[in-house]
Amino acid sequence: MQALLMTLRDDKHLLLGVDMEDYAVLHWGVSKQSSGEWLAPPLEIVPQRSKMLDGACQSYFDKKSTSGISFQQCLDINLRQTEFIGLHFILWSGGTWIKNEGSNFYINLKLSVGDGKGVVKQLLDEISEREKDAERSLMHRFSIATDLIERAKNEGELGLVGMLVWLRFMACRQLTWNKNYNVKPREISAAQHKLTDSLQRIYMDEPNYREIVRLIMSSIGRGGEGDVGQRIRDEILVLQRNNDCKGGMMEEWHQKLHNNTSPDDVIICQALLDYAKSDFNIAVYWKTLNSNGITKERLACYDRPIVSEPQIKRNVKDGFIRDLTSYLRTLKAVHSGADLDSAIATCLGYSSKGHDFMGGVAIRPVGGLSAKLTECLKFVQAHVEDYHTGPLLEKLLESRCELRPLLLKPHERLKDLIFLDIALDSTIRTSKESGHERLRNAQPKDVMYFITLMLENLCLSSVNNEELVFCIKDWYRVTDLHESNDELWALQAKAVLDRIRLILADRAECYHNIYQPSAEYLGVLLRVERWAISIFTEELIRSGSAACLSLLLNRLDPILRSVTNLGSWQIISPVEVRGIVTVVEDIAKIQENVYRQPTVMIANKVKGDEEIPDGVVAVLTPDMPDVLSHIAVRARNSKVCFATCFDKDILGDLKSKKGRAILVQPSTTSLVYSELRSSDLSNESLSSFIPAIALKKKTFSGKYAISFEEFTSELVGAKSVNIQYLGRKLPSWVKVPISVALPYGVFEAVLREVVNKDVANQVVSLSRIVAAGNLSKLHDIRQTILQLKAPSQLINELSSKMKTKRMPWPGDEGEGRWNQAWLAIKKVWASKWNERAYISIQKAKMDHNSLCMAVLVQEIICADYAFVIHTKNPLSGNPTEIYAEIVKGLGETLVSAYPGRAMSFVTKKSDLNSPKVLGYPSKQIGLFIKRSIIFRSDSNGEDLKGYSGAGLYDSVPMDKEDKVVVDYSSDRLIVDRAYQKYIFSKIALVGKVIEDLYGSAQDIEGVVKDGEIYVVQTRPQM
């Protein structure tokens, strides 16, 4: 089945197609407020041949194709301009109902592409309207592009994206190049020249758009004024005269060249050259054409068709090859911006005296090229066909490095330099691809060498490349330390590879979000083939440096995993389970689903802060959430199997079992699975997995603020009580931040204030809607709470308590600073209604109205590092080992959904001075902050027996943290083994001391500042 959302005459249409022999019926409804709704559709959007039922509609498919979809049966639902967010359905065909593993199918109408969102709609509509004129000739297309390019630039990034999509569809032969119009080659060349001049100006004036401009320029030729294009017309005549080939295929080609030359002519010329060099083997001619997408049918469909095969006299072979070689350079000068030979010749300059009637050519060199760049380019010209690509790749990269300074400043021939850089980049990629198979049995050091080259190349091709630069520095450090069978070295190398993978994944997702909506929207308007629209972004990524680098990472990764004994799995929660396999893209998007049978979920994306849906007994993912992330902790608490799979073949096999029952049997280091009969699944009710938990509602004590010494379990949550206990019991070398709190009941008291009456009424009203099942109103409740006004008594009491403890009072810095603090407090209260927390409380069968929120107020320690300790190893369950994870900056990157892994270590409690590193960091971001205050959630719904609510509610700093791209290449914790051992041993000792104080395993959070350890909270390890 295929679904396509598109806009036709301002109405949104959902097109559905199925390949079924028997007639198909869609039983469907729509969602307006939340994805959980099923509403009967309004009559205005019901297709013909439909029947309205109680709360649903049944529509018959038509046995004919619909625009945009080619299937045996299709259905067009005109959604008009309605604002539905989704469509639920099941299918009837062949006497049976077809469901989605027992549930409804669901189409998200909000996120579907092709609806004009995420695009510059007016620009794309105009491109569509002008396509009829553009398809007359390439001259018309390039002239229209020149007319539109300035407007596209003014529209910003998405405007230029629209131009790229249009011109790339053209370059991929999805649009007509010439239609009933004769145009001289020099006219095409002049139009190209004007367009590339405009692109050159944008490249110089808009540095942030340079990557897009490069992609546009790689889709079109260089062009040129004067005789550049005219030579195409003149030189083919000379070539025919010189070699006595005026008839047949050569004359047909001559007519095409005179009237509508195009990039295809470069391929035709190359095919003729290959044909001549093979001693006129016609099979070689067709092989070159076909391998470049030119078939007999395409040759025949030109306005000036080519229907004959070449027949060249053998006695002119040498002259024919000589003249074709010269002519190929002329064609490439106009049509092939990314051709290396042409680009180098244009920049270094060349002259040709010609032969017989062939005219002479003189191209002056580009000024300002360094001697080193010239030497590198000449080496590249001489060795571009070499079998061993290493020296060539090095010189190609050297050329790009030498060229880079010239690309960052004005130059009279800047576009020639840009085309040269595009050509060098393209040749690096094709050279690496041609030698990829030779790496199959290569030594790790050889693979690492090529990773270095491709990483440098990607960096040179990227505009915002700070993180890539840090990865290169770290990779240099790791490769310098290379020891084949050293486990610590392999762990460090793997961490860098993991981070590079994250960058590549971010890049791919960014490309898809930016380019695909325009491809979907414009592709439908221009009637581009559906397959070409679907793979647009994928092909854009494949044609770049990132794809080559990714292949090399895949080659090295299993070697590193073998050295580190990581195997194919990391087991985060080792629980044996049975269930039906389902596959999802992103667990965050389905976390409120309820599965009626035990489900083994294969989730492509797991960030770390999600809820595990009801009924899921296992989560298996290629993603790498931290072992101590929220979802990992919840998996262990709920006895859900949770594991990361590093082997794409194993993951593919698991996905192939979708809909089938399997047994999952993990150990602490590996995982095996086997198929079951569905009847072997337990009939145990899934709802019994989580027992109901009672919450005792707290009352207002009459105090709006209390000091550290006043903390009790009746006034504040376990977070505050524990920090008070630690402050009294810990040795002096362990620091605890000074704290005060807004106790239970303060929020409710503020809500009862007369000045907040309207807010209170709105919260009550919205809460009723949420309780009825409309979770979309949770956001509205949070926004409403932010409108609360602070009573003067609260301000005065909080000010007094903070000043008594010598904490900085925000009000002393002006009204604006107090308003920042007050907003942070309200955000903490409002987090009682965040989606994740609300769903979790529902699953635990707790009364949401009984949940009370105190606020712990602490001064933020400007941390160098943050850590989380589990005093009982969560991976193995070994109570004699302490496990810890540590990140640069604040701890939010560790416990929340920040990609990458933290650094981790384990140590025996009997030998705290011998920590063993389990993994090095691949976190991309560190959070840092100036001196400030943080307001921490401290509810009565956390750290309860049988339920961990930790991390469900928000802790909000008064000031925004700075997100800093992390550089590990010189980080002391990574490169200084003695310092690393000192800090890890000290962290482990803190864990041991706190566990001894409580007499049970603890989950501890803290930070390191200037070598000192601060503990900010502890709770029982669940």
Side-chain angles (χ1 to χ4, degrees):
M1 181 174 189
Q2 181 180 341
L4 173 65
L5 192 66
M6 59 188 293
T7 301
L8 297 173
R9 302 182 196 89
D10 294 327
D11 281 348
K12 191 189 300 183
H13 287 250
L14 178 63
L15 308 180
L16 301 171
V18 294
D19 276 328
M20 294 176 176
E21 295 294 335
D22 293 318
Y23 70 86
V25 179
L26 189 80
H27 181 90
W28 61 287
V30 293
S31 304
K32 194 168 187 178
Q33 300 285 347
S34 72
S35 60
E37 283 183 313
W38 176 307
L39 306 172
L43 290 174
E44 66 195 55
I45 71 168
V46 171
Q48 293 180 352
R49 299 183 68 219
S50 295
K51 177 182 179 182
M52 293 300 297
L53 304 175
D54 185 17
C57 177
Q58 287 185 351
S59 302
Y60 285 79
F61 281 74
D62 292 321
K63 290 206 171 185
K64 62 181 181 179
S65 65
T66 299
S67 174
I69 291 186
S70 297
F71 280 82
Q72 292 185 45
Q73 301 183 59
C74 294
L75 178 64
D76 180 356
I77 300 176
N78 185 350
L79 298 167
R80 305 192 185 279
Q81 297 178 23
T82 52
E83 287 299 319
F84 297 112
I85 67 169
L87 184 144
H88 288 274
F89 69 93
I90 55 177
L91 285 167
W92 172 269
S93 184
T96 185
W97 287 109
I98 302 168
K99 299 184 178 182
N100 183 15
E101 298 178 18
S103 301
N104 307 322
F105 293 98
Y106 183 74
I107 298 173
N108 190 331
L109 300 177
K110 280 289 186 184
L111 297 179
S112 296
V113 291
D115 57 1
K117 295 180 181 178
V119 305
V120 181
K121 186 174 181 294
Q122 288 183 328
L123 175 66
L124 300 189
D125 288 343
E126 183 170 347
I127 288 173
S128 173
E129 289 168 7
R130 299 185 70 173
E131 176 60 25
K132 188 172 183 180
D133 194 32
E135 65 185 15
R136 295 171 70 190
S137 75
L138 291 177
M139 178 194 73
H140 288 84
R141 187 174 300 281
F142 294 141
S143 297
I144 292 169
T146 304
D147 291 343
L148 294 176
I149 197 69
E150 189 66 27
R151 174 182 161 191
K153 183 200 77 173
N154 294 334
E155 294 281 4
E157 181 181 55
L158 289 179
L160 292 172
V161 165
M163 295 296 291
L164 167 64
V165 168
W166 181 42
L167 293 170
R168 194 167 176 87
F169 277 146
M170 177 271 297
C172 295
R173 303 191 182 99
Q174 287 296 312
L175 303 178
T176 301
W177 287 358
N178 189 274
K179 191 173 185 179
N180 301 323
Y181 194 90
N182 295 336
V183 60
K184 298 180 179 68
R186 61 181 170 81
E187 293 172 331
I188 295 174
S189 180
Q192 280 176 300
H193 181 71
K194 287 181 182 178
L195 176 56
T196 51
D197 270 357
S198 298
L199 290 166
Q200 172 184 265
R201 284 193 296 273
I202 295 172
Y203 182 94
M204 199 65 252
D205 296 341
E206 305 289 344
N208 288 333
Y209 300 155
R210 284 176 180 168
E211 205 166 324
I212 300 175
V213 172
R214 282 170 56 92
L215 289 169
I216 295 174
M217 292 179 72
S218 68
S219 300
I220 58 178
R222 180 185 292 103
E225 291 182 307
D227 70 342
V228 175
Q230 185 61 30
R231 289 204 305 269
I232 292 178
R233 192 167 187 168
D234 295 344
E235 290 177 10
I236 187 62
L237 292 169
V238 176
L239 189 151
Q240 286 181 286
R241 289 187 203 127
N242 283 351
N243 300 285
D244 192 19
C245 53
K246 295 181 181 179
M249 177 269 167
M250 290 299 294
E251 180 58 25
E252 291 167 356
W253 187 35
H254 162 218
Q255 291 301 319
K256 177 193 180 305
L257 288 161
H258 269 227
N259 293 289
N260 45 56
T261 183
S262 70
D264 279 3
D265 294 315
V266 175
I267 299 166
I268 294 170
C269 188
Q270 185 64 59
L272 286 168
L273 257 176
D274 294 344
Y275 160 69
K277 289 178 180 179
S278 68
D279 201 26
F280 303 109
N281 183 343
I282 195 65
V284 172
Y285 169 77
W286 284 112
K287 181 180 179 182
T288 300
L289 289 176
N290 293 339
S291 64
N292 287 279
I294 298 181
T295 60
K296 285 184 179 181
E297 291 75 21
R298 181 166 180 82
L299 291 172
C301 78
Y302 296 138
D303 272 8
R304 296 290 190 273
I306 299 174
V307 296
S308 305
E309 292 185 336
Q311 293 181 340
I312 309 299
K313 297 175 181 178
R314 291 184 180 277
N315 66 317
V316 299
K317 177 179 176 180
D318 292 341
F320 187 66
I321 290 173
R322 179 196 62 235
D323 290 350
L324 272 178
T325 301
S326 178
Y327 193 52
L328 183 62
R329 174 176 281 181
T330 297
L331 288 168
K332 286 180 175 180
V334 174
H335 293 303
S336 302
D339 177 71
L340 183 66
D341 185 58
S342 175
I344 292 177
T346 299
C347 289
L348 292 185
Y350 70 92
S351 62
S352 171
K353 293 180 181 179
H355 178 79
D356 202 358
F357 294 99
M358 190 73 81
V361 178
I363 302 294
R364 64 184 178 89
V366 172
L369 303 187
S370 68
K372 185 176 181 181
L373 176 56
T374 302
E375 177 267 321
C376 286
L377 292 176
K378 288 180 178 178
F379 179 93
V380 166
Q381 280 183 308
H383 297 274
V384 73
E385 301 293 337
D386 284 4
Y387 179 80
H388 296 290
T389 56
L392 172 65
L393 286 168
E394 287 184 5
K395 287 297 182 182
L396 286 163
L397 269 169
E398 280 186 56
S399 300
R400 292 199 72 193
C401 291
E402 284 292 310
L403 185 59
R404 187 169 178 79
L406 297 175
L407 296 170
L408 303 178
K409 58 187 180 183
H411 194 289
E412 62 173 346
R413 289 176 63 183
L414 178 61
K415 70 177 177 182
D416 289 331
L417 297 173
I418 298 170
F419 276 121
L420 174 59
D421 192 55
I422 291 170
L424 290 167
D425 179 23
S426 176
T427 308
I428 289 171
R429 187 176 64 254
T430 53
S431 297
K432 181 67 222 60
E433 287 171 350
S434 66
H436 190 69
E437 278 305 308
R438 296 198 291 274
L439 282 177
R440 185 173 295 278
N441 298 312
Q443 294 298 309
K445 199 157 189 174
D446 296 327
V447 181
M448 290 162 58
Y449 163 75
F450 284 110
I451 287 175
T452 303
L453 296 179
M454 298 312 296
L455 190 54
E456 290 171 347
N457 191 54
L458 179 60
C459 192
L460 288 167
S461 302
S462 305
V463 173
N464 298 312
N465 62 4
E466 180 186 26
E467 189 175 5
L468 280 170
V469 170
F470 290 158
C471 282
I472 288 173
K473 288 170 62 181
D474 212 14
W475 185 243
Y476 290 159
R477 178 185 66 82
V478 168
T479 52
D480 286 345
L481 297 171
H482 178 232
E483 295 180 36
S484 297
N485 295 308
D486 181 71
E487 185 176 343
L488 279 180
W489 172 83
L491 285 171
Q492 292 183 70
K494 187 173 187 329
V496 182
L497 293 197
D498 287 344
R499 186 176 183 185
I500 295 170
R501 273 208 181 90
L502 289 171
I503 295 172
L504 298 184
D506 288 347
R507 188 181 179 89
E509 185 174 1
C510 180
Y511 265 46
H512 193 275
N513 292 339
I514 291 173
Y515 297 113
Q516 195 61 29
S518 292
E520 295 278 348
Y521 185 82
L522 186 59
V524 170
L525 292 179
L526 298 180
R527 299 186 181 278
V528 171
E529 292 180 80
R530 183 65 217 172
W531 66 265
I533 297 173
S534 300
I535 67 169
F536 181 87
T537 302
E538 183 182 336
E539 287 301 307
L540 200 61
I541 293 167
R542 282 183 184 173
S543 66
S545 305
C548 261
L549 179 56
S550 181
L551 288 172
L552 289 166
L553 301 184
N554 291 340
R555 199 52 73 80
L556 185 59
D557 187 71
I559 298 171
L560 297 177
R561 284 194 278 113
S562 175
V563 173
T564 55
N565 298 309
L566 285 177
S568 300
W569 294 91
Q570 181 177 30
I571 310 302
I572 299 171
S573 176
V575 182
E576 183 176 311
V577 296
R578 301 162 183 246
I580 301 292
V581 175
T582 189
V583 180
V584 301
E585 179 59 29
D586 187 347
I587 195 171
K589 294 178 180 177
I590 51 86
Q591 58 186 335
E592 61 185 84
N593 286 12
V594 175
Y595 293 85
R596 301 300 179 189
Q597 53 189 347
T599 299
V600 174
M601 179 173 286
I602 317 299
N604 288 332
K605 289 185 181 179
V606 179
K607 289 184 175 180
D609 65 343
E610 303 92 343
E611 277 295 308
I612 298 171
D614 271 358
V616 171
V617 295
V619 177
L620 309 178
T621 178
D623 229 332
M624 297 182 292
D626 290 305
V627 173
L628 301 185
S629 63
H630 293 319
I631 193 169
V633 172
R634 290 192 190 99
R636 289 190 289 269
N637 293 344
S638 305
K639 300 295 184 269
V640 170
C641 178
F642 187 30
T644 291
C645 180
F646 299 113
D647 190 315
K648 64 180 181 180
D649 293 330
I650 293 176
L651 207 64
D653 183 61
L654 278 164
K655 289 179 179 179
S656 73
K657 300 186 186 304
K658 180 179 178 181
R660 286 181 262 174
I662 64 170
L663 169 66
V664 178
Q665 296 174 295
S667 65
T668 55
T669 58
S670 187
L671 181 147
V672 294
Y673 57 91
S674 54
E675 283 199 50
L676 298 171
R677 294 172 300 178
S678 296
S679 58
D680 291 335
L681 288 182
S682 169
N683 291 321
E684 180 183 4
S685 172
L686 288 166
S687 62
S688 66
F689 289 169
I690 302 175
I693 296 172
L695 274 183
K696 180 183 177 184
K697 189 172 178 67
K698 304 293 184 178
T699 57
F700 181 45
S701 66
K703 294 181 179 181
Y704 283 91
I706 57 175
S707 64
F708 184 78
E709 294 79 11
E710 298 174 275
F711 293 176
T712 69
S713 58
E714 288 301 311
L715 297 177
V716 289
K719 199 176 291 182
S720 300
V721 172
N722 285 334
I723 207 72
Q724 181 206 55
Y725 180 74
L726 292 176
R728 290 191 284 109
K729 295 290 187 179
L730 283 176
S732 59
W733 61 269
V734 184
K735 314 295 184 185
V736 176
I738 299 169
S739 311
V740 300
L742 280 67
Y744 292 139
V746 172
F747 167 68
E748 289 78 7
V750 171
L751 204 59
R752 287 194 295 268
E753 293 280 335
V754 174
V755 70
N756 293 317
K757 182 179 178 181
D758 289 344
V759 173
N761 289 337
Q762 206 169 345
V763 170
V764 170
S765 175
L766 290 169
S767 295
R768 290 197 187 105
I769 298 173
V770 169
N774 186 353
L775 301 190
S776 68
K777 294 301 179 183
L778 288 168
H779 174 267
D780 295 343
I781 295 176
R782 295 196 300 273
Q783 293 303 306
T784 301
I785 288 169
L786 299 186
Q787 299 170 26
L788 286 170
K789 293 180 170 56
S792 57
Q793 189 176 349
L794 183 151
I795 298 172
N796 293 336
E797 287 190 24
L798 184 57
S799 169
S800 173
K801 295 296 183 183
M802 290 180 70
K803 287 180 176 180
T804 299
K805 290 296 176 184
R806 297 184 179 178
M807 295 174 67
W809 168 242
D812 288 343
E813 301 174 56
E815 185 180 356
R817 291 292 286 165
W818 160 247
N819 289 337
Q820 278 182 261
W822 177 233
L823 179 61
I825 292 168
K826 290 185 288 186
K827 284 182 177 179
V828 175
W829 286 335
S831 70
K832 172 181 174 180
W833 284 272
N834 77 55
E835 285 80 2
R836 201 158 45 87
Y838 193 87
I839 292 166
S840 181
I841 279 185
Q842 281 186 316
K843 289 178 181 177
K845 303 181 181 69
M846 291 192 287
D847 179 9
H848 189 261
N849 292 325
S850 296
L851 185 86
C852 297
M853 186 73 70
V855 181
L856 176 62
V857 185
Q858 294 178 322
E859 189 171 357
I860 292 179
I861 294 98
C862 306
D864 301 322
Y865 307 98
F867 61 82
V868 174
I869 308 167
H870 276 200
T871 62
K872 173 184 170 183
N873 188 341
L875 295 174
S876 63
N878 189 341
T880 69
E881 291 179 340
I882 289 174
Y883 176 90
E885 293 183 341
I886 186 166
V887 294
K888 282 181 71 75
L890 301 178
E892 192 63 20
T893 59
L894 176 55
V895 297
S896 292
Y898 285 82
R901 281 272 171 88
M903 192 171 189
S904 59
F905 71 90
V906 67
T907 185
K908 293 284 185 183
K909 292 174 184 175
S910 59
D911 188 7
L912 298 175
N913 291 321
S914 300
K916 179 185 178 183
V917 176
L918 298 181
Y920 283 84
S922 58
K923 291 283 184 187
Q924 300 168 276
I925 296 293
L927 297 179
F928 297 87
I929 199 168
K930 63 183 181 181
R931 188 185 184 202
S932 186
I933 300 294
I934 188 166
F935 300 89
R936 296 183 181 274
S937 57
D938 195 20
S939 77
N940 63 336
E942 301 174 52
D943 306 324
L944 305 174
K945 186 175 181 180
Y947 175 76
S948 173
L952 288 175
Y953 309 103
D954 295 341
S955 293
V956 184
M958 192 172 84
D959 296 287
K960 191 173 179 61
E961 308 100 325
D962 293 323
K963 289 185 177 181
V964 178
V965 179
V966 181
D967 180 5
Y968 295 114
S969 64
S970 57
D971 188 273
R972 192 177 177 191
L973 201 63
I974 309 296
V975 302
D976 186 339
R977 293 280 181 89
Y979 179 73
Q980 180 191 98
K981 180 180 178 181
Y982 167 74
I983 293 296
F984 285 2
S985 297
K986 207 169 180 181
I987 289 171
L989 179 56
V990 168
K992 178 72 165 58
V993 168
I994 293 177
E995 183 184 63
D996 289 345
L997 283 175
Y998 282 90
S1000 62
Q1002 293 292 298
D1003 174 353
I1004 304 159
E1005 294 181 23
V1007 300
V1008 180
K1009 174 66 175 174
D1010 298 329
E1012 297 289 337
I1013 306 293
Y1014 293 77
V1015 174
V1016 296
Q1017 68 182 65
T1018 188
R1019 61 174 68 92
Q1021 182 179 333
M1022 304 293 283

